Amino acid sequence: MTDPADPEAFQAAYDTVLAKWPEGTATRTVPTPYGHTHVTVHGPADGAPLVLLPGGGATGLSWFANAAELARMRRVFAVDLVGDPGRSVPVAERPVRTVTDLTAWLDALLDGLDIPATDLGGHSYGAWIALHHALRAPGRVRRLVLVDPTRCFAGFRPGYLLRALPTLLRPSARATRAFLAWETGGAPLDADWLALQEGAAAFPAARPVMGPRPAPAALRPPTLVLLAGRSRAHDVRKVASRAAALLPDVTVATLPGVSHHALPHARPAELDRAVAEFLSRTAA
């Protein structure tokens, strides 16, 4: 297999995955002080909003297998993170470097989308961002969905970090492919999504925002913590027990037999059902 880690391959792969989104999907570019943010939108125009953040190094298109079902009850806004691979364009003069920056960027994005308050979801690093935002801007988050959240309730496994190191030090499609094959245990992944992840290695390495683990005891909105039963990123049992102990209004569930990086597109029916049931049950 040739190494597709070049910008043109990435854009072609992006278009291919975008085509997997349901009919009626639209895209928007929203200006913020930190750059222009690209958002993929699906669902009824008058639907209550559900803003979804991807994992680090991924794009908002990662929710392609979930959009149709989630849009039955919400208008879905899937975001390309500023500074990460995707079609969001950061402003060099104002990079996102801190948790405060992330919260200000997300506030500006919601303002640009004319969303005063929203249900907010995220996978992995996106869940970390979502949790921080819910803590710092509680009036803007109605309900919170954290899909196999990293650095929220437990740290990474050392073995996971060791395996991820080649993708950070010398990013390439081959390194990405090998890492994902290891973390997922060789489970089949959507080929078009995998090509998009491999192509993302062409992007300049973006340093993810680092910061303290969130202190979620003060969290106000009802929260779903949905874990990957075979995640190699962290100790799933530890994450589940700490989330249950720390969060004042939480539902903790596990998707058995699925790994961290297979989400959110793997086992979409189970993920969508868990999210839909949670949103329905906790609706005001």
Side-chain angles (χ1 to χ4, degrees):
M1 181 182 296
T2 58
D3 192 322
D6 67 74
E8 290 185 3
F10 175 83
Q11 296 301 336
Y14 193 103
D15 287 335
T16 299
V17 177
L18 179 58
K20 289 177 173 287
W21 277 64
E23 185 178 353
T25 292
T27 61
R28 290 185 59 179
T29 300
V30 181
T32 77
Y34 297 90
H36 287 73
T37 303
H38 188 83
V39 185
T40 304
V41 185
H42 183 67
D46 60 350
L50 171 61
V51 175
L52 297 174
L53 307 178
T59 73
L61 296 187
S62 297
W63 302 92
F64 71 89
N66 315 98
E69 189 61 32
L70 294 179
R72 292 179 181 273
M73 60 187 311
R74 293 291 187 274
R75 184 162 173 82
V76 173
F77 298 83
V79 180
D80 286 359
L81 302 177
V82 168
D84 260 21
R87 290 182 174 167
S88 293
V89 181
V91 174
E93 295 78 16
R94 196 168 181 181
V96 175
R97 289 177 173 167
T98 67
V99 175
T100 299
D101 292 337
L102 279 173
T103 300
W105 161 72
L106 195 46
D107 270 335
L109 174 61
L110 295 178
D111 288 342
L113 292 169
D114 195 23
I115 298 176
T118 184
D119 295 330
L120 180 62
H123 169 233
S124 188
Y125 175 57
W128 184 82
I129 296 172
L131 179 54
H132 270 296
H133 190 74
L135 288 166
R136 290 174 175 240
R140 304 208 74 162
V141 180
R142 293 194 178 104
R143 281 162 291 268
L144 193 60
V145 176
L146 308 178
V147 179
D148 215 43
T150 50
R151 297 195 296 132
C152 292
F153 307 104
F156 287 113
R157 289 182 183 273
Y160 175 87
L161 294 176
L162 186 63
R163 288 278 187 167
L165 201 57
T167 69
L168 302 174
L169 296 179
R170 299 187 66 181
S172 70
R174 182 172 298 176
T176 297
R177 188 161 55 246
F179 175 65
L180 291 175
W182 169 77
E183 200 282 325
T184 61
L189 298 169
D190 182 90
D192 296 323
W193 175 86
L194 182 58
L196 181 60
Q197 291 304 108
E198 293 172 354
F203 272 72
R207 180 178 297 177
V209 173
M210 304 298 289
R213 190 177 298 169
L219 192 67
R220 295 181 188 176
T223 302
L224 171 65
V225 177
L226 189 59
L227 300 171
R230 293 181 60 190
S231 176
R232 292 189 174 188
H234 45 211
D235 185 324
V236 177
R237 292 183 179 179
K238 181 182 292 186
V239 173
S241 63
R242 288 185 175 174
L246 290 172
L247 297 179
D249 185 358
V250 65
T251 300
V252 180
T254 300
L255 295 174
V258 65
S259 74
H260 179 79
H261 287 283
L263 294 175
H265 77 270
R267 309 277 283 274
E270 295 172 52
L271 188 152
D272 298 344
R273 183 167 54 251
V275 173
E277 290 176 354
F278 166 74
L279 294 178
S280 297
R281 186 176 65 251
T282 56

